[in-house]
Amino acid sequence: AETLKRQEAAFGKPFNAMLRSLRVAVVGVGGTGSSVATLIARAGVGELILIDGDALDKTNMNRVRGYRAEDAGKNKAKILAEYIDGLGLDIHVSAIDGYLDQSGEAIDAVSSADVVLGCTDDVAGRDLMNQCTYYYSQVYIDVGLTGFVDTDKDGYPYLRDHRGRTSCILPESGACLRCQRVITEQKLQYEQAMKDNPELA
């Protein structure tokens, strides 16, 4: 494709052909996932599967890509798939508007991917992707961002710290997310308790 000529010049034809052969699943297309998905699409992968059960909220608009204000209330995966499709790139993009821990269709999609990118903020979803890495012998790249907002002496909020983590787990190497303690039973129980009783937060 014309859009990939510079990439071909930099990395060679085999590079573009390899990317074109890939089926990539992005789980969670919010602040991190929407950026990851659009960059992967522009890089020239052959197929992109977007998975997210969330609806876009107006509070998301300062950190997402591919969404407009009028998309608020609509499913993130479907809207982002439409956006990427509208870029006119030679890519097949599909959307699944479900959560990984609740959708058989989403699990099937993940199991058929060559590369899984975890951009979700829930521990249960990460745990499922972590298991898929071993069960289906897949490449799994998990991205996590966190921060702590504190208040100063006058009561104004400020970002006290901000941290990021990228874990690349290959079928033959790389410590899983449980081994890295990104996923623990305590975190899973805490998350479930918050779902069962939101007032605890």
Side-chain angles (χ1 to χ4, degrees), residues 120 122-124 126-127 130 140 142-145 165-167 169 175-188 191:
T120 181
D122 72 307
V123 185
R126 280 195 168 102
D127 197 31
N130 192 59
Y140 174 32
D142 187 79
V143 180
L145 296 171
R165 174 194 49 78
T166 302
S167 302
I169 305 165
C176 80
L177 294 184
R178 282 182 175 260
C179 300
Q180 296 179 41
R181 299 198 50 77
V182 172
I183 300 168
T184 64
E185 288 304 317
Q186 184 180 14
K187 289 178 182 179
L188 286 164
E191 183 176 89

